[in-house]
Amino acid sequence: MEIIYVALSAFAGGIAAAIMGWLDSGDYFEGRKFMSSVIRALVAGGVFAVGYTLTGDSITVMDIIVAFVAGSGVDVLGNRIAGSIRGQ
């Protein structure tokens, strides 16, 4: 059950970063851009869930906070990479 908390925390971090980025941009909401962030957040949640499964340790509150911050980092890094590929 603890692994689900880590996965949800990483997912929530990615979604929070996407929402904050959208609010900061001042643009109209574009579902296409948001869906790419949702996909990146799902990947981050899955990767962190698998990663914490491999450690075998019990999960603490600090692990959940780290997963949240890392999930937001995955979304921000993904947006930077996608922006440089598109040439923006």
Side-chain angles (χ1 to χ4, degrees), residues 23-43:
L23 289 173
D24 187 45
S25 73
D27 294 337
Y28 291 108
F29 181 78
E30 292 184 35
R32 179 185 54 85
K33 287 183 180 179
F34 188 72
M35 284 309 295
S36 65
S37 291
V38 168
I39 291 169
R40 281 191 290 271
L42 284 171
V43 169

Side-chain angles (χ1 to χ4, degrees), residues 9-85:
S9 178
F11 178 75
I15 296 299
I19 291 172
M20 292 301 199
W22 168 64
L23 289 173
D24 187 45
S25 73
D27 294 337
Y28 291 108
F29 181 78
E30 292 184 35
R32 179 185 54 85
K33 287 183 180 179
F34 188 72
M35 284 309 295
S36 65
S37 291
V38 168
I39 291 169
R40 281 191 290 271
L42 284 171
V43 169
V47 167
F48 279 92
V50 169
Y52 276 102
T53 301
L54 296 176
T55 63
D57 296 335
S58 63
I59 295 172
T60 63
V61 173
M62 185 56 98
D63 294 327
I64 292 174
I65 293 169
V66 167
F68 182 86
V69 172
S72 64
V74 166
D75 183 61
V76 170
L77 185 63
N79 281 330
R80 298 282 180 172
I81 291 170
S84 67
I85 290 172

Side-chain angles (χ1 to χ4, degrees), residues 1-13:
M1 189 66 176
E2 294 174 336
I3 298 303
I4 293 173
Y5 296 144
V6 171
L8 288 176
S9 178
F11 178 75

